[in-house]
Amino acid sequence: MQNKCKKFFLRSLLFFLFALTTSLFSESEPLMVQIPMRDGTKLLTHLYIPENSKGPLPCILIRTPGPAKLKKIYSLMSDWGYVVAIQSLRSHHHSEQHPEPYIADAWGTLQDGHDAIEWLGNSSYTNGNVGTYGASANGITQLLLAPTQPKHLKCQFIQVATPTLYQHAAYVGGAFCKHQIESWFSKIAPKAYQSILENKSYNSYWEQIDASKKSEYVKTPAVHIGGWYDVFSQGTIDAFCSWQKKGAAGAKGKQKLIMGPWTHWGSDQEQFGEFKFPQAALEFEENQLIRDWFDAHLKAETEKLNRYPEVLYYVMGPLDETPSKGNQWKKSHSWPPAANKKIHYLSKSHRLKTKLPAFSSREYSFDYNPDNPVSTVGGKNLYLQSGPFDQSKNEKRDDVLTFTTLELNQDTEVTGRITATIYLSSSAPNTDLALTLTDVYPDGKSILISEGIQHVQLKENGVQAVDVDLWSTSMVFAKGHKIRLSVASSNFPHFDKNPNPADNVIHVGSKYPSQIVLPIIE
C-alpha cells in the first residue's frame, strides 16, 4: 500500500511540474476563435492544438466562467492527442446583456453549449468527435447542455456538479443557503442573486435550468465524480441515477459514478476536515480515468474501460487509525448498494434505539434564538471550512438535542441515502430542523458524517411529522464507537437564520416515533 501511494504522489508531482513548466515556458500559443451562437453572439474560445498533429483530431470542450490561468492546465490534455477548446461562457463576458448564469447554457431559446459543440464538430479543426469536461460550474454547464442532443457530442466527464440548482445549491430543504449563494452570486452576478432571493419556492424560474427534468432526452455516456463532503454530493448521485435509469439510448446503462472522501475541491487535497487525507483514498487515479474515458469514446479505444465498474465508492472509516472495515474502495453495479434500512428511534435518556419505544410519548424541548444560532462547523460547504469536523462544542449547547446509541459491538457500515422523521411542535408559525449525524469516538470527539435541514411551516397547536433528508454517505462506524443524531433549528452561516424565535418541542415514543433510517450493509 505504501509503495502504491508513493508512486501516486510521484505521478501527481510530475504531472504538476509538467503543468507548471508548460504554462511558464510553452512556446505555442492557443488559437483564438470566436464561435457564433444562434443569436449572433460570438463566444471567445481558445483552441489548443497538438504540435505536429496530422489531420483533424477529436476535441475536448471546457465551457467555463473560470480564470484564464486554468486554461494552460486544461491544455495539457492536448498532449494526449486532442484539440482542447476552452470557451468563456456568455454570462462571463456579456454580463450586461445576459446577467444570469446558466440560462443560455440549457435547452431554452439560447443553447450555447449545443451551438459550441456543433460548430467545433463541423470545423476543420476536429474529426467530428467532441467530448466535454469540467468541474463545478463547468460541470453544471455539461449537465444543462446534454438534453439538447448535439450530434457531435460523444461523451462527458462531469465533476462535483448538480442538475438541480434549486434543491442542491440555493434552497436545501427549503432553507436558503446563505453563505454559499452570497459568496457565489452576490458580487459576480447581482441580477442572478436578486432572482434567487425572489424565487424562494421551486417554480418556472428554476425549472428552466433543472436538468433532472430532462433525463429522457440525454443520449450521452458520462462519468459523474463527487465527494461525500461536496456541497453537490447528492446532485452528483442523482444525475448518475437518473441518466443511468431514465436516459435515452446512448446514455441509459452507460453512466459511471465515482464517490470519494472529498470536499468540493477534489481529490488532491492533503487536509480532510480536521484530519489528514486518508491514505487508502490515494489509490484513486483520476488522471488515468480521464484519459481512458476520452480515449474510449473519442478514439474508439473501448478496451480501456474494461477495468472500471459502473460504481466505485469510498467507504469512510475512523480517521484516528482505529482498525475497522472502513477506509477502502468498493465496487458496485448500481447505486445504492443493497442495504437493510434499519430504523433508529429517538428514545428516553437521549438514546438512539433500534426498537420502537414501549412508552407512548415523551417531550424534549429547546429554545431557538435567531440572535444566537448554532454555528456551521465543517460539513458540505462551498466557501466555508468543509469536511469532517468535531461537533462536540455545538452539542453542549442548550439549543441542541443529541440522541446516541450505545457503544457498537461490531463495525457498522452505513451506505446509501439517510432520512429522518421528527415529530415537532413549535410556538412559531415556521421554523427549521437542522440535523447532523456524527461518529462518536471513544475519547468523546463527535465527527460530522452527514447533515440535513428542513424549513417547516407548522400547523397551529399541533404535532407535525417532519421529513428531513440527510443525503447519502458511505461510512463504517467502528466497533467501540457510537452513532449520534443531533437536532437543532439552525446551521449558520451555511443556512440563513430563521427570523422567528421559537420554543420547539421534539416528540418521541410509540405515538410519535421520531426516527432516523440508516441503510446498513450487512
Side-chain angles (χ1 to χ4, degrees):
M1 175 69 73
Q2 289 182 343
N3 290 335
K4 190 167 187 178
C5 290
K6 288 178 180 179
K7 290 179 181 178
F8 176 83
F9 277 123
L10 181 59
R11 283 195 299 269
S12 299
L13 178 60
L14 290 174
F15 187 84
F16 172 76
L17 291 174
F18 181 61
L20 180 62
T21 55
T22 300
S23 64
L24 291 176
F25 303 114
S26 176
E27 296 180 357
S28 61
E29 291 296 327
L31 175 65
M32 290 184 288
V33 298
Q34 297 283 354
I35 298 182
M37 302 293 104
R38 60 188 60 191
D39 66 342
T41 300
K42 295 181 179 180
L43 299 185
L44 177 64
T45 307
H46 292 70
L47 301 182
Y48 293 85
I49 302 173
E51 294 184 5
N52 303 319
S53 61
K54 297 179 180 179
L57 298 171
C59 176
I60 298 174
L61 169 65
I62 301 100
R63 305 189 67 250
T64 177
K69 65 181 181 181
L70 294 177
K71 295 175 182 176
K72 289 293 185 182
I73 298 174
Y74 286 144
S75 72
L76 290 175
M77 289 189 287
S78 68
D79 293 329
W80 299 342
Y82 294 98
V83 173
V84 179
I86 317 291
Q87 183 174 81
S88 296
L89 298 179
R90 180 189 296 253
S91 56
H92 179 58
H93 279 298
H94 301 271
S95 57
E96 291 184 3
Q97 295 171 283
H98 301 281
E100 301 211 31
Y102 303 125
I103 293 174
D105 304 308
W107 48 85
T109 303
L110 300 174
Q111 299 182 8
D112 290 355
H114 177 282
D115 295 350
I117 289 171
E118 293 305 273
W119 189 93
L120 288 165
N122 287 315
S123 74
S124 60
Y125 303 112
T126 78
N127 65 3
N129 292 336
V130 181
T132 59
Y133 172 82
S136 194
N138 308 346
I140 293 170
T141 58
Q142 293 185 73
L143 292 164
L144 291 172
L145 75 84
T148 67
Q149 300 180 354
K151 68 178 182 180
H152 290 99
L153 179 62
K154 306 303 179 184
C155 67
Q156 296 183 297
F157 199 100
I158 305 166
Q159 299 163 292
V160 291
T162 176
T164 310
L165 287 164
Y166 177 80
Q167 294 175 343
H168 298 139
Y171 290 95
V172 175
F176 178 55
C177 299
K178 175 182 172 62
H179 192 276
Q180 177 170 297
I181 294 300
E182 288 181 349
S183 302
W184 189 359
F185 286 108
S186 63
K187 293 181 179 179
I188 64 169
K191 177 62 168 64
Y193 177 66
Q194 188 60 36
S195 294
I196 291 171
L197 295 180
E198 292 172 355
N199 292 277
K200 298 181 184 298
S201 299
Y202 185 88
N203 55 23
S204 58
Y205 173 80
W206 295 106
E207 190 171 7
Q208 67 183 327
I209 49 173
D210 186 351
S212 70
K213 303 291 187 181
K214 298 289 182 177
S215 297
E216 67 271 23
Y217 297 101
V218 177
K219 296 183 176 182
T220 315
V223 171
H224 306 262
I225 295 185
W228 295 127
Y229 290 95
D230 174 34
V231 68
F232 300 141
S233 62
Q234 192 60 52
T236 297
I237 293 171
D238 288 354
F240 163 80
C241 292
S242 184
W243 291 10
Q244 184 79 337
K245 298 173 183 178
K246 301 177 183 178
K252 187 174 183 179
K254 296 183 179 180
Q255 308 296 304
K256 295 199 181 293
L257 173 67
I258 295 98
M259 293 297 296
W262 307 313
T263 66
H264 188 72
W265 307 110
S267 60
D268 59 350
Q269 306 297 303
E270 292 185 5
Q271 198 67 21
F272 187 48
E274 292 182 287
F275 303 88
K276 290 295 183 182
F277 204 70
Q279 289 294 307
L282 299 174
E283 294 178 8
F284 176 63
E285 299 181 11
E286 183 174 330
N287 293 334
Q288 189 62 54
L289 172 60
I290 295 169
R291 184 170 186 174
D292 288 346
W293 181 255
F294 286 121
D295 286 351
H297 292 286
L298 302 183
K299 296 182 179 179
E301 299 175 9
T302 55
E303 73 284 352
K304 290 188 174 182
L305 295 184
N306 292 340
R307 65 191 185 99
Y308 297 106
E310 287 85 352
V311 177
L312 179 67
Y313 64 100
Y314 186 86
V315 185
M316 299 183 291
L319 294 166
D320 61 355
E321 299 184 355
T322 298
S324 79
K325 296 179 181 178
N327 292 314
Q328 62 169 307
W329 289 96
K330 285 190 174 182
K331 300 176 182 179
S332 177
H333 293 296
S334 61
W335 186 267
N340 176 22
K341 294 184 178 181
K342 185 170 288 187
I343 298 174
H344 289 67
Y345 296 97
L346 284 62
S347 191
K348 290 180 179 179
S349 303
H350 292 270
R351 291 294 184 195
L352 273 183
K353 297 184 176 181
T354 55
K355 291 184 178 181
L356 181 67
F359 60 90
S360 175
S361 65
R362 185 184 180 97
E363 298 179 355
Y364 290 97
S365 62
F366 65 98
D367 294 333
Y368 165 66
N369 179 1
D371 294 328
N372 184 28
V374 178
S375 298
T376 300
V377 182
K380 297 177 175 69
N381 303 311
L382 190 57
Y383 297 108
L384 295 167
Q385 281 186 324
S386 54
F389 278 81
D390 187 3
Q391 306 298 301
S392 297
K393 185 176 180 180
N394 275 346
E395 292 170 355
K396 294 176 182 177
R397 294 174 55 121
D398 293 337
D399 55 356
V400 178
L401 302 176
T402 61
F403 298 86
T404 312
T405 66
L406 297 174
E407 286 188 5
L408 300 173
N409 57 18
Q410 63 181 7
D411 285 359
T412 302
E413 180 182 337
V414 174
T415 295
R417 197 157 190 167
I418 300 167
T419 59
T421 300
I422 305 297
Y423 286 81
L424 172 72
S425 60
S426 177
S427 63
N430 63 76
T431 191
D432 297 310
L433 273 182
L435 308 185
T436 56
L437 179 71
T438 61
D439 178 13
V440 183
Y441 286 48
D443 63 3
K445 291 194 297 290
S446 184
I447 305 303
L448 178 61
I449 303 302
S450 194
E451 59 192 332
I453 194 167
Q454 183 63 48
H455 181 66
V456 187
Q457 295 289 339
L458 286 128
K459 302 173 184 176
E460 188 174 355
N461 299 323
V463 179
Q464 188 168 329
V466 180
D467 294 327
V468 184
D469 184 0
L470 284 80
W471 291 11
S472 301
T473 194
S474 183
M475 173 70 191
V476 168
F477 294 85
K479 179 181 179 180
H481 287 217
K482 302 174 184 177
I483 300 173
R484 175 173 293 164
L485 177 69
S486 297
V487 182
S489 282
S490 51
N491 181 353
F492 181 82
H494 184 172
F495 299 101
D496 200 6
K497 297 179 290 186
N498 191 300
N500 301 315
D503 298 324
N504 290 333
V505 179
I506 302 302
H507 301 261
V508 304
S510 59
K511 183 178 180 180
Y512 301 113
S514 291
Q515 61 189 256
I516 183 169
V517 182
L518 302 178
I520 305 294
I521 305 296
E522 300 295 346

